[in-house]
Amino acid sequence: MKQNFNYIDEMKGFTILLVVMGHLFIPHTLLGTNYPCNTIIYSFHMPLFFFLSGYLMELNNNIAQKGISFFVQKKIYSLVVPFLFWALVVPIFLKNTYSRDLFVRLNFLDNRSYWFLPTLFIFMLLYLCKYLILKKINSTHERNVKIDYLISIAIVSAIAIMGIAVQEYTIVVYGIYLAMFFFGDAFYKYDELRLFLIQKSVFGICAALLCLLWKFFPLEANHIAWRSMLNLISYFITAFASAIVFYNLFTKFLLPPFIKHYFSEMGKMSLVIYLIPIILLNESFVFPEWMTYTLINISVLTLGILQTIISYVIGRIVYEIPYLRFAMFGKR
């Protein structure tokens, strides 16, 4: 019997809407990245995306059926090809210019140049390495689970330690993203983990913890090492708590049909919405001071919904053109 995973598409749709809203709050509000609603969005929206990616990775990897080369080839098509297209080709048409510095065009550190695609591709390769190690180990299920957790912790810890050693904040954040990716993978694979985390008591504790963290996070670091470290720890906890809370929300609570349909459709086209640069406001526009937070939030939500729908329609049109569909979105 085929399981229904519509809630994953709905969660992806919810998350991509937050991404769009975040990109509207930053340039168009006086507080920018420090705008209250925006700090909440940025405390969990990308970790949630990586959690969902890990969940779907375990669901759809097909390594056992089609082999390693097919897996790698598929990820190159779906992630590397669109990254190269949007990083190298699209700027010529959008900016009427072409940077000759290949490193600048392909550098995705510090969340630049469609960074999500190459980062996710690297995570896929690390997942493949972990998969092959576990496959070679002939052990009981219980021991296999422990080894899986240990490998995941070791890889994430190595990245975090490297980031701390070179004092590079972004590397540690990528380690948190990888932790969320492995968490999504384990969440799907291991029933005992999932059944524990969907208990009402766990859901309630995580929801309360999330609200508490949103109240204080992030601290103003001002280049103070211990405050920066505390922010990273808070971000790590927020990431895991948010995945648990929103998974429970989308699986236990019944949304109105039109909202479910919107989130589901946007989730199926989340990569398209992420890549297509729709601009509805002038770059210099900033919401005036007289507007309350509520009015700004409603305005940004409305613009975000409109922007995702426009991107969705454009994506549907492009999907009808095979070669362009492959180049832009990695869909064959």
Side-chain angles (χ1 to χ4, degrees), residues 57 60-64 66-81 120-129 131-132 326 330 332:
M57 183 72 269
N60 300 316
N61 70 55
N62 290 324
I63 300 173
K66 299 186 177 181
I68 297 171
S69 59
F70 176 84
F71 173 85
V72 175
Q73 183 183 60
K74 184 178 178 182
K75 299 313 170 188
I76 291 173
Y77 288 160
S78 62
L79 296 171
V80 178
V81 169
L120 185 58
F121 178 70
I122 293 171
F123 288 1
M124 297 292 186
L125 296 182
L126 291 173
Y127 166 86
L128 177 61
C129 293
Y131 175 90
L132 294 175
F326 175 67
R332 303 191 72 183

PDB file of all heavy atoms in Angstrom, residues 57 60-64 66-81 120-129 131-132 326 330 332:
ATOM      1  N   MET A  57      15.181  12.171   0.947  1.00  0.00           N
ATOM      2  CA  MET A  57      16.331  11.431   0.442  1.00  0.00           C
ATOM      3  C   MET A  57      16.213   9.965   0.805  1.00  0.00           C
ATOM      4  O   MET A  57      16.413   9.084  -0.023  1.00  0.00           O
ATOM      5  CB  MET A  57      17.606  12.024   1.053  1.00  0.00           C
ATOM      6  CG  MET A  57      18.898  11.391   0.570  1.00  0.00           C
ATOM      7  SD  MET A  57      19.264  11.844  -1.131  1.00  0.00           S
ATOM      8  CE  MET A  57      18.460  10.521  -2.035  1.00  0.00           C
ATOM      9  N   ASN A  60      13.361   8.337  -1.261  1.00  0.00           N
ATOM     10  CA  ASN A  60      13.453   8.219  -2.728  1.00  0.00           C
ATOM     11  C   ASN A  60      14.855   7.920  -3.246  1.00  0.00           C
ATOM     12  O   ASN A  60      15.122   8.153  -4.421  1.00  0.00           O
ATOM     13  CB  ASN A  60      12.970   9.519  -3.381  1.00  0.00           C
ATOM     14  CG  ASN A  60      11.529   9.843  -3.040  1.00  0.00           C
ATOM     15  OD1 ASN A  60      10.679   8.960  -3.061  1.00  0.00           O
ATOM     16  ND2 ASN A  60      11.254  11.088  -2.710  1.00  0.00           N
ATOM     17  N   ASN A  61      15.770   7.407  -2.408  1.00  0.00           N
ATOM     18  CA  ASN A  61      17.154   7.323  -2.901  1.00  0.00           C
ATOM     19  C   ASN A  61      17.350   6.291  -4.022  1.00  0.00           C
ATOM     20  O   ASN A  61      18.205   6.477  -4.889  1.00  0.00           O
ATOM     21  CB  ASN A  61      18.131   7.081  -1.744  1.00  0.00           C
ATOM     22  CG  ASN A  61      18.016   5.697  -1.139  1.00  0.00           C
ATOM     23  OD1 ASN A  61      18.110   4.694  -1.804  1.00  0.00           O
ATOM     24  ND2 ASN A  61      17.834   5.635   0.180  1.00  0.00           N
ATOM     25  N   ASN A  62      16.620   5.180  -4.020  1.00  0.00           N
ATOM     26  CA  ASN A  62      16.681   4.166  -5.083  1.00  0.00           C
ATOM     27  C   ASN A  62      18.087   3.610  -5.329  1.00  0.00           C
ATOM     28  O   ASN A  62      18.355   3.079  -6.408  1.00  0.00           O
ATOM     29  CB  ASN A  62      16.146   4.743  -6.413  1.00  0.00           C
ATOM     30  CG  ASN A  62      14.656   4.972  -6.383  1.00  0.00           C
ATOM     31  OD1 ASN A  62      13.924   4.189  -5.779  1.00  0.00           O
ATOM     32  ND2 ASN A  62      14.202   6.041  -7.009  1.00  0.00           N
ATOM     33  N   ILE A  63      18.989   3.732  -4.367  1.00  0.00           N
ATOM     34  CA  ILE A  63      20.355   3.253  -4.577  1.00  0.00           C
ATOM     35  C   ILE A  63      20.374   1.735  -4.733  1.00  0.00           C
ATOM     36  O   ILE A  63      21.051   1.199  -5.623  1.00  0.00           O
ATOM     37  CB  ILE A  63      21.263   3.690  -3.415  1.00  0.00           C
ATOM     38  CG1 ILE A  63      21.298   5.210  -3.316  1.00  0.00           C
ATOM     39  CG2 ILE A  63      22.677   3.144  -3.614  1.00  0.00           C
ATOM     40  CD1 ILE A  63      22.042   5.726  -2.094  1.00  0.00           C
ATOM     41  N   ALA A  64      19.625   1.051  -3.896  1.00  0.00           N
ATOM     42  CA  ALA A  64      19.619  -0.416  -3.941  1.00  0.00           C
ATOM     43  C   ALA A  64      19.070  -0.929  -5.261  1.00  0.00           C
ATOM     44  O   ALA A  64      19.531  -1.942  -5.788  1.00  0.00           O
ATOM     45  CB  ALA A  64      18.799  -0.961  -2.770  1.00  0.00           C
ATOM     46  N   LYS A  66      18.780   0.936  -8.337  1.00  0.00           N
ATOM     47  CA  LYS A  66      19.366   1.448  -9.579  1.00  0.00           C
ATOM     48  C   LYS A  66      20.861   1.720  -9.512  1.00  0.00           C
ATOM     49  O   LYS A  66      21.473   2.073 -10.527  1.00  0.00           O
ATOM     50  CB  LYS A  66      18.624   2.720  -9.997  1.00  0.00           C
ATOM     51  CG  LYS A  66      17.146   2.464 -10.272  1.00  0.00           C
ATOM     52  CD  LYS A  66      16.439   3.688 -10.826  1.00  0.00           C
ATOM     53  CE  LYS A  66      14.982   3.380 -11.153  1.00  0.00           C
ATOM     54  NZ  LYS A  66      14.264   4.541 -11.713  1.00  0.00           N
ATOM     55  N   GLY A  67      21.466   1.588  -8.351  1.00  0.00           N
ATOM     56  CA  GLY A  67      22.912   1.690  -8.255  1.00  0.00           C
ATOM     57  C   GLY A  67      23.434   3.069  -7.908  1.00  0.00           C
ATOM     58  O   GLY A  67      22.716   4.069  -7.966  1.00  0.00           O
ATOM     59  N   ILE A  68      24.729   3.094  -7.568  1.00  0.00           N
ATOM     60  CA  ILE A  68      25.375   4.323  -7.121  1.00  0.00           C
ATOM     61  C   ILE A  68      25.506   5.335  -8.250  1.00  0.00           C
ATOM     62  O   ILE A  68      25.256   6.525  -8.069  1.00  0.00           O
ATOM     63  CB  ILE A  68      26.769   3.995  -6.541  1.00  0.00           C
ATOM     64  CG1 ILE A  68      26.637   3.092  -5.312  1.00  0.00           C
ATOM     65  CG2 ILE A  68      27.529   5.271  -6.177  1.00  0.00           C
ATOM     66  CD1 ILE A  68      27.945   2.542  -4.815  1.00  0.00           C
ATOM     67  N   SER A  69      25.922   4.866  -9.431  1.00  0.00           N
ATOM     68  CA  SER A  69      26.149   5.792 -10.547  1.00  0.00           C
ATOM     69  C   SER A  69      24.856   6.504 -10.933  1.00  0.00           C
ATOM     70  O   SER A  69      24.875   7.701 -11.253  1.00  0.00           O
ATOM     71  CB  SER A  69      26.728   5.053 -11.747  1.00  0.00           C
ATOM     72  OG  SER A  69      25.848   4.023 -12.171  1.00  0.00           O
ATOM     73  N   PHE A  70      23.742   5.777 -10.899  1.00  0.00           N
ATOM     74  CA  PHE A  70      22.462   6.400 -11.216  1.00  0.00           C
ATOM     75  C   PHE A  70      22.122   7.465 -10.178  1.00  0.00           C
ATOM     76  O   PHE A  70      21.648   8.560 -10.521  1.00  0.00           O
ATOM     77  CB  PHE A  70      21.360   5.345 -11.252  1.00  0.00           C
ATOM     78  CG  PHE A  70      19.976   5.915 -11.473  1.00  0.00           C
ATOM     79  CD1 PHE A  70      19.517   6.191 -12.749  1.00  0.00           C
ATOM     80  CD2 PHE A  70      19.139   6.180 -10.391  1.00  0.00           C
ATOM     81  CE1 PHE A  70      18.257   6.734 -12.952  1.00  0.00           C
ATOM     82  CE2 PHE A  70      17.875   6.721 -10.582  1.00  0.00           C
ATOM     83  CZ  PHE A  70      17.436   6.992 -11.872  1.00  0.00           C
ATOM     84  N   PHE A  71      22.378   7.155  -8.902  1.00  0.00           N
ATOM     85  CA  PHE A  71      22.099   8.101  -7.825  1.00  0.00           C
ATOM     86  C   PHE A  71      22.898   9.395  -8.017  1.00  0.00           C
ATOM     87  O   PHE A  71      22.344  10.493  -7.965  1.00  0.00           O
ATOM     88  CB  PHE A  71      22.443   7.461  -6.481  1.00  0.00           C
ATOM     89  CG  PHE A  71      22.356   8.394  -5.309  1.00  0.00           C
ATOM     90  CD1 PHE A  71      21.152   8.615  -4.668  1.00  0.00           C
ATOM     91  CD2 PHE A  71      23.487   9.054  -4.838  1.00  0.00           C
ATOM     92  CE1 PHE A  71      21.068   9.475  -3.576  1.00  0.00           C
ATOM     93  CE2 PHE A  71      23.417   9.911  -3.749  1.00  0.00           C
ATOM     94  CZ  PHE A  71      22.198  10.126  -3.132  1.00  0.00           C
ATOM     95  N   VAL A  72      24.222   9.248  -8.253  1.00  0.00           N
ATOM     96  CA  VAL A  72      25.080  10.428  -8.415  1.00  0.00           C
ATOM     97  C   VAL A  72      24.680  11.210  -9.661  1.00  0.00           C
ATOM     98  O   VAL A  72      24.601  12.451  -9.635  1.00  0.00           O
ATOM     99  CB  VAL A  72      26.564  10.007  -8.487  1.00  0.00           C
ATOM    100  CG1 VAL A  72      27.448  11.221  -8.786  1.00  0.00           C
ATOM    101  CG2 VAL A  72      26.994   9.348  -7.185  1.00  0.00           C
ATOM    102  N   GLN A  73      24.434  10.498 -10.749  1.00  0.00           N
ATOM    103  CA  GLN A  73      24.036  11.163 -11.994  1.00  0.00           C
ATOM    104  C   GLN A  73      22.747  11.953 -11.823  1.00  0.00           C
ATOM    105  O   GLN A  73      22.624  13.099 -12.274  1.00  0.00           O
ATOM    106  CB  GLN A  73      23.861  10.130 -13.107  1.00  0.00           C
ATOM    107  CG  GLN A  73      23.527  10.729 -14.471  1.00  0.00           C
ATOM    108  CD  GLN A  73      23.293   9.652 -15.512  1.00  0.00           C
ATOM    109  OE1 GLN A  73      22.398   8.819 -15.362  1.00  0.00           O
ATOM    110  NE2 GLN A  73      24.108   9.655 -16.562  1.00  0.00           N
ATOM    111  N   LYS A  74      21.795  11.350 -11.124  1.00  0.00           N
ATOM    112  CA  LYS A  74      20.515  12.025 -10.897  1.00  0.00           C
ATOM    113  C   LYS A  74      20.707  13.295 -10.084  1.00  0.00           C
ATOM    114  O   LYS A  74      20.075  14.329 -10.372  1.00  0.00           O
ATOM    115  CB  LYS A  74      19.561  11.065 -10.171  1.00  0.00           C
ATOM    116  CG  LYS A  74      18.159  11.636  -9.963  1.00  0.00           C
ATOM    117  CD  LYS A  74      17.253  10.626  -9.279  1.00  0.00           C
ATOM    118  CE  LYS A  74      15.867  11.214  -9.040  1.00  0.00           C
ATOM    119  NZ  LYS A  74      14.991  10.237  -8.331  1.00  0.00           N
ATOM    120  N   LYS A  75      21.575  13.259  -9.063  1.00  0.00           N
ATOM    121  CA  LYS A  75      21.804  14.444  -8.240  1.00  0.00           C
ATOM    122  C   LYS A  75      22.570  15.521  -9.013  1.00  0.00           C
ATOM    123  O   LYS A  75      22.350  16.715  -8.798  1.00  0.00           O
ATOM    124  CB  LYS A  75      22.561  14.072  -6.966  1.00  0.00           C
ATOM    125  CG  LYS A  75      21.818  13.073  -6.080  1.00  0.00           C
ATOM    126  CD  LYS A  75      20.369  13.468  -5.883  1.00  0.00           C
ATOM    127  CE  LYS A  75      19.561  12.368  -5.225  1.00  0.00           C
ATOM    128  NZ  LYS A  75      18.105  12.670  -5.192  1.00  0.00           N
ATOM    129  N   ILE A  76      23.450  15.115  -9.912  1.00  0.00           N
ATOM    130  CA  ILE A  76      24.137  16.091 -10.759  1.00  0.00           C
ATOM    131  C   ILE A  76      23.124  16.798 -11.655  1.00  0.00           C
ATOM    132  O   ILE A  76      23.148  18.023 -11.803  1.00  0.00           O
ATOM    133  CB  ILE A  76      25.230  15.414 -11.609  1.00  0.00           C
ATOM    134  CG1 ILE A  76      26.382  14.960 -10.705  1.00  0.00           C
ATOM    135  CG2 ILE A  76      25.742  16.364 -12.693  1.00  0.00           C
ATOM    136  CD1 ILE A  76      27.437  14.140 -11.425  1.00  0.00           C
ATOM    137  N   TYR A  77      22.228  16.014 -12.241  1.00  0.00           N
ATOM    138  CA  TYR A  77      21.202  16.601 -13.103  1.00  0.00           C
ATOM    139  C   TYR A  77      20.294  17.555 -12.346  1.00  0.00           C
ATOM    140  O   TYR A  77      19.987  18.659 -12.801  1.00  0.00           O
ATOM    141  CB  TYR A  77      20.352  15.492 -13.745  1.00  0.00           C
ATOM    142  CG  TYR A  77      21.043  14.697 -14.822  1.00  0.00           C
ATOM    143  CD1 TYR A  77      20.569  13.440 -15.195  1.00  0.00           C
ATOM    144  CD2 TYR A  77      22.187  15.176 -15.457  1.00  0.00           C
ATOM    145  CE1 TYR A  77      21.203  12.689 -16.181  1.00  0.00           C
ATOM    146  CE2 TYR A  77      22.825  14.439 -16.439  1.00  0.00           C
ATOM    147  CZ  TYR A  77      22.329  13.203 -16.798  1.00  0.00           C
ATOM    148  OH  TYR A  77      22.960  12.470 -17.769  1.00  0.00           O
ATOM    149  N   SER A  78      19.842  17.121 -11.150  1.00  0.00           N
ATOM    150  CA  SER A  78      18.816  17.889 -10.438  1.00  0.00           C
ATOM    151  C   SER A  78      19.364  19.057  -9.633  1.00  0.00           C
ATOM    152  O   SER A  78      18.621  19.995  -9.324  1.00  0.00           O
ATOM    153  CB  SER A  78      18.015  16.964  -9.519  1.00  0.00           C
ATOM    154  OG  SER A  78      18.859  16.384  -8.532  1.00  0.00           O
ATOM    155  N   LEU A  79      20.671  19.032  -9.298  1.00  0.00           N
ATOM    156  CA  LEU A  79      21.236  20.078  -8.436  1.00  0.00           C
ATOM    157  C   LEU A  79      22.383  20.851  -9.086  1.00  0.00           C
ATOM    158  O   LEU A  79      22.397  22.083  -9.072  1.00  0.00           O
ATOM    159  CB  LEU A  79      21.718  19.464  -7.115  1.00  0.00           C
ATOM    160  CG  LEU A  79      20.627  18.843  -6.235  1.00  0.00           C
ATOM    161  CD1 LEU A  79      21.245  18.082  -5.073  1.00  0.00           C
ATOM    162  CD2 LEU A  79      19.665  19.898  -5.720  1.00  0.00           C
ATOM    163  N   VAL A  80      23.351  20.131  -9.663  1.00  0.00           N
ATOM    164  CA  VAL A  80      24.527  20.802 -10.228  1.00  0.00           C
ATOM    165  C   VAL A  80      24.186  21.526 -11.528  1.00  0.00           C
ATOM    166  O   VAL A  80      24.616  22.672 -11.734  1.00  0.00           O
ATOM    167  CB  VAL A  80      25.671  19.790 -10.459  1.00  0.00           C
ATOM    168  CG1 VAL A  80      26.869  20.481 -11.101  1.00  0.00           C
ATOM    169  CG2 VAL A  80      26.080  19.144  -9.138  1.00  0.00           C
ATOM    170  N   VAL A  81      23.438  20.883 -12.407  1.00  0.00           N
ATOM    171  CA  VAL A  81      23.091  21.506 -13.696  1.00  0.00           C
ATOM    172  C   VAL A  81      22.347  22.825 -13.501  1.00  0.00           C
ATOM    173  O   VAL A  81      22.734  23.857 -14.066  1.00  0.00           O
ATOM    174  CB  VAL A  81      22.292  20.532 -14.588  1.00  0.00           C
ATOM    175  CG1 VAL A  81      21.704  21.262 -15.800  1.00  0.00           C
ATOM    176  CG2 VAL A  81      23.183  19.391 -15.051  1.00  0.00           C
ATOM    177  N   LEU A 120      23.380  21.211  -0.907  1.00  0.00           N
ATOM    178  CA  LEU A 120      22.559  20.000  -0.835  1.00  0.00           C
ATOM    179  C   LEU A 120      23.224  18.859  -1.598  1.00  0.00           C
ATOM    180  O   LEU A 120      23.169  17.704  -1.160  1.00  0.00           O
ATOM    181  CB  LEU A 120      21.158  20.273  -1.389  1.00  0.00           C
ATOM    182  CG  LEU A 120      20.144  19.133  -1.279  1.00  0.00           C
ATOM    183  CD1 LEU A 120      19.971  18.705   0.169  1.00  0.00           C
ATOM    184  CD2 LEU A 120      18.793  19.547  -1.868  1.00  0.00           C
ATOM    185  N   PHE A 121      23.876  19.169  -2.712  1.00  0.00           N
ATOM    186  CA  PHE A 121      24.575  18.135  -3.483  1.00  0.00           C
ATOM    187  C   PHE A 121      25.686  17.503  -2.636  1.00  0.00           C
ATOM    188  O   PHE A 121      25.851  16.276  -2.621  1.00  0.00           O
ATOM    189  CB  PHE A 121      25.162  18.735  -4.762  1.00  0.00           C
ATOM    190  CG  PHE A 121      25.941  17.752  -5.584  1.00  0.00           C
ATOM    191  CD1 PHE A 121      25.290  16.721  -6.253  1.00  0.00           C
ATOM    192  CD2 PHE A 121      27.320  17.850  -5.689  1.00  0.00           C
ATOM    193  CE1 PHE A 121      26.014  15.799  -7.021  1.00  0.00           C
ATOM    194  CE2 PHE A 121      28.044  16.935  -6.445  1.00  0.00           C
ATOM    195  CZ  PHE A 121      27.387  15.904  -7.112  1.00  0.00           C
ATOM    196  N   ILE A 122      26.454  18.320  -1.933  1.00  0.00           N
ATOM    197  CA  ILE A 122      27.508  17.803  -1.046  1.00  0.00           C
ATOM    198  C   ILE A 122      26.907  16.936   0.052  1.00  0.00           C
ATOM    199  O   ILE A 122      27.434  15.873   0.383  1.00  0.00           O
ATOM    200  CB  ILE A 122      28.321  18.965  -0.449  1.00  0.00           C
ATOM    201  CG1 ILE A 122      29.106  19.682  -1.554  1.00  0.00           C
ATOM    202  CG2 ILE A 122      29.266  18.461   0.638  1.00  0.00           C
ATOM    203  CD1 ILE A 122      29.757  20.964  -1.111  1.00  0.00           C
ATOM    204  N   PHE A 123      25.784  17.369   0.599  1.00  0.00           N
ATOM    205  CA  PHE A 123      25.107  16.581   1.640  1.00  0.00           C
ATOM    206  C   PHE A 123      24.664  15.226   1.077  1.00  0.00           C
ATOM    207  O   PHE A 123      24.730  14.208   1.770  1.00  0.00           O
ATOM    208  CB  PHE A 123      23.905  17.342   2.177  1.00  0.00           C
ATOM    209  CG  PHE A 123      24.256  18.531   3.033  1.00  0.00           C
ATOM    210  CD1 PHE A 123      25.568  18.888   3.276  1.00  0.00           C
ATOM    211  CD2 PHE A 123      23.248  19.308   3.603  1.00  0.00           C
ATOM    212  CE1 PHE A 123      25.895  19.984   4.064  1.00  0.00           C
ATOM    213  CE2 PHE A 123      23.557  20.410   4.394  1.00  0.00           C
ATOM    214  CZ  PHE A 123      24.884  20.739   4.618  1.00  0.00           C
ATOM    215  N   MET A 124      24.217  15.228  -0.182  1.00  0.00           N
ATOM    216  CA  MET A 124      23.806  13.974  -0.820  1.00  0.00           C
ATOM    217  C   MET A 124      24.990  13.007  -0.929  1.00  0.00           C
ATOM    218  O   MET A 124      24.848  11.799  -0.697  1.00  0.00           O
ATOM    219  CB  MET A 124      23.250  14.252  -2.223  1.00  0.00           C
ATOM    220  CG  MET A 124      22.009  15.105  -2.270  1.00  0.00           C
ATOM    221  SD  MET A 124      20.561  14.272  -1.587  1.00  0.00           S
ATOM    222  CE  MET A 124      19.276  15.474  -1.986  1.00  0.00           C
ATOM    223  N   LEU A 125      26.163  13.538  -1.268  1.00  0.00           N
ATOM    224  CA  LEU A 125      27.346  12.683  -1.382  1.00  0.00           C
ATOM    225  C   LEU A 125      27.754  12.145  -0.012  1.00  0.00           C
ATOM    226  O   LEU A 125      28.177  10.978   0.107  1.00  0.00           O
ATOM    227  CB  LEU A 125      28.500  13.467  -2.014  1.00  0.00           C
ATOM    228  CG  LEU A 125      28.283  13.945  -3.454  1.00  0.00           C
ATOM    229  CD1 LEU A 125      29.526  14.661  -3.968  1.00  0.00           C
ATOM    230  CD2 LEU A 125      27.923  12.779  -4.370  1.00  0.00           C
ATOM    231  N   LEU A 126      27.655  12.960   1.024  1.00  0.00           N
ATOM    232  CA  LEU A 126      27.952  12.488   2.383  1.00  0.00           C
ATOM    233  C   LEU A 126      26.941  11.428   2.813  1.00  0.00           C
ATOM    234  O   LEU A 126      27.299  10.440   3.479  1.00  0.00           O
ATOM    235  CB  LEU A 126      27.939  13.671   3.358  1.00  0.00           C
ATOM    236  CG  LEU A 126      29.076  14.679   3.193  1.00  0.00           C
ATOM    237  CD1 LEU A 126      28.848  15.899   4.095  1.00  0.00           C
ATOM    238  CD2 LEU A 126      30.415  14.036   3.505  1.00  0.00           C
ATOM    239  N   TYR A 127      25.687  11.642   2.423  1.00  0.00           N
ATOM    240  CA  TYR A 127      24.657  10.627   2.699  1.00  0.00           C
ATOM    241  C   TYR A 127      25.019   9.315   2.011  1.00  0.00           C
ATOM    242  O   TYR A 127      24.891   8.235   2.602  1.00  0.00           O
ATOM    243  CB  TYR A 127      23.298  11.126   2.204  1.00  0.00           C
ATOM    244  CG  TYR A 127      22.243  10.053   2.135  1.00  0.00           C
ATOM    245  CD1 TYR A 127      21.479   9.726   3.250  1.00  0.00           C
ATOM    246  CD2 TYR A 127      22.033   9.335   0.959  1.00  0.00           C
ATOM    247  CE1 TYR A 127      20.520   8.718   3.199  1.00  0.00           C
ATOM    248  CE2 TYR A 127      21.084   8.333   0.900  1.00  0.00           C
ATOM    249  CZ  TYR A 127      20.329   8.026   2.009  1.00  0.00           C
ATOM    250  OH  TYR A 127      19.395   7.024   1.946  1.00  0.00           O
ATOM    251  N   LEU A 128      25.475   9.402   0.760  1.00  0.00           N
ATOM    252  CA  LEU A 128      25.853   8.202   0.007  1.00  0.00           C
ATOM    253  C   LEU A 128      26.994   7.468   0.708  1.00  0.00           C
ATOM    254  O   LEU A 128      26.964   6.234   0.817  1.00  0.00           O
ATOM    255  CB  LEU A 128      26.256   8.586  -1.415  1.00  0.00           C
ATOM    256  CG  LEU A 128      26.753   7.446  -2.313  1.00  0.00           C
ATOM    257  CD1 LEU A 128      25.660   6.396  -2.495  1.00  0.00           C
ATOM    258  CD2 LEU A 128      27.209   7.994  -3.668  1.00  0.00           C
ATOM    259  N   CYS A 129      28.000   8.195   1.178  1.00  0.00           N
ATOM    260  CA  CYS A 129      29.113   7.575   1.902  1.00  0.00           C
ATOM    261  C   CYS A 129      28.610   6.844   3.145  1.00  0.00           C
ATOM    262  O   CYS A 129      29.020   5.703   3.427  1.00  0.00           O
ATOM    263  CB  CYS A 129      30.133   8.640   2.294  1.00  0.00           C
ATOM    264  SG  CYS A 129      31.007   9.382   0.894  1.00  0.00           S
ATOM    265  N   TYR A 131      25.606   5.711   3.649  1.00  0.00           N
ATOM    266  CA  TYR A 131      24.794   4.585   3.172  1.00  0.00           C
ATOM    267  C   TYR A 131      25.676   3.383   2.846  1.00  0.00           C
ATOM    268  O   TYR A 131      25.366   2.244   3.221  1.00  0.00           O
ATOM    269  CB  TYR A 131      23.994   5.015   1.950  1.00  0.00           C
ATOM    270  CG  TYR A 131      23.196   3.909   1.290  1.00  0.00           C
ATOM    271  CD1 TYR A 131      21.884   3.637   1.667  1.00  0.00           C
ATOM    272  CD2 TYR A 131      23.763   3.133   0.285  1.00  0.00           C
ATOM    273  CE1 TYR A 131      21.162   2.624   1.062  1.00  0.00           C
ATOM    274  CE2 TYR A 131      23.055   2.119  -0.324  1.00  0.00           C
ATOM    275  CZ  TYR A 131      21.754   1.864   0.065  1.00  0.00           C
ATOM    276  OH  TYR A 131      21.038   0.858  -0.532  1.00  0.00           O
ATOM    277  N   LEU A 132      26.786   3.628   2.162  1.00  0.00           N
ATOM    278  CA  LEU A 132      27.679   2.539   1.754  1.00  0.00           C
ATOM    279  C   LEU A 132      28.375   1.921   2.954  1.00  0.00           C
ATOM    280  O   LEU A 132      28.587   0.695   3.000  1.00  0.00           O
ATOM    281  CB  LEU A 132      28.704   3.067   0.750  1.00  0.00           C
ATOM    282  CG  LEU A 132      28.127   3.530  -0.603  1.00  0.00           C
ATOM    283  CD1 LEU A 132      29.217   4.135  -1.467  1.00  0.00           C
ATOM    284  CD2 LEU A 132      27.440   2.374  -1.319  1.00  0.00           C
ATOM    285  N   PHE A 326      15.268  21.222 -18.306  1.00  0.00           N
ATOM    286  CA  PHE A 326      16.442  20.522 -17.786  1.00  0.00           C
ATOM    287  C   PHE A 326      17.518  21.511 -17.350  1.00  0.00           C
ATOM    288  O   PHE A 326      18.105  21.378 -16.267  1.00  0.00           O
ATOM    289  CB  PHE A 326      16.998  19.577 -18.850  1.00  0.00           C
ATOM    290  CG  PHE A 326      18.274  18.902 -18.444  1.00  0.00           C
ATOM    291  CD1 PHE A 326      18.282  17.973 -17.409  1.00  0.00           C
ATOM    292  CD2 PHE A 326      19.462  19.191 -19.081  1.00  0.00           C
ATOM    293  CE1 PHE A 326      19.460  17.351 -17.016  1.00  0.00           C
ATOM    294  CE2 PHE A 326      20.641  18.569 -18.704  1.00  0.00           C
ATOM    295  CZ  PHE A 326      20.641  17.648 -17.671  1.00  0.00           C
ATOM    296  N   GLY A 330      16.772  21.172 -13.776  1.00  0.00           N
ATOM    297  CA  GLY A 330      17.303  19.813 -13.664  1.00  0.00           C
ATOM    298  C   GLY A 330      16.265  18.731 -13.830  1.00  0.00           C
ATOM    299  O   GLY A 330      16.485  17.594 -13.408  1.00  0.00           O
ATOM    300  N   ARG A 332      14.303  16.236 -16.247  1.00  0.00           N
ATOM    301  CA  ARG A 332      14.408  15.637 -17.583  1.00  0.00           C
ATOM    302  C   ARG A 332      13.045  15.265 -18.142  1.00  0.00           C
ATOM    303  O   ARG A 332      12.092  15.106 -17.404  1.00  0.00           O
ATOM    304  CB  ARG A 332      15.279  14.401 -17.520  1.00  0.00           C
ATOM    305  CG  ARG A 332      16.678  14.698 -16.969  1.00  0.00           C
ATOM    306  CD  ARG A 332      17.616  13.551 -17.150  1.00  0.00           C
ATOM    307  NE  ARG A 332      17.988  13.391 -18.526  1.00  0.00           N
ATOM    308  CZ  ARG A 332      18.770  12.408 -18.992  1.00  0.00           C
ATOM    309  NH1 ARG A 332      19.237  11.507 -18.162  1.00  0.00           N
ATOM    310  NH2 ARG A 332      19.074  12.305 -20.266  1.00  0.00           N
TER     311      ARG A 332
END
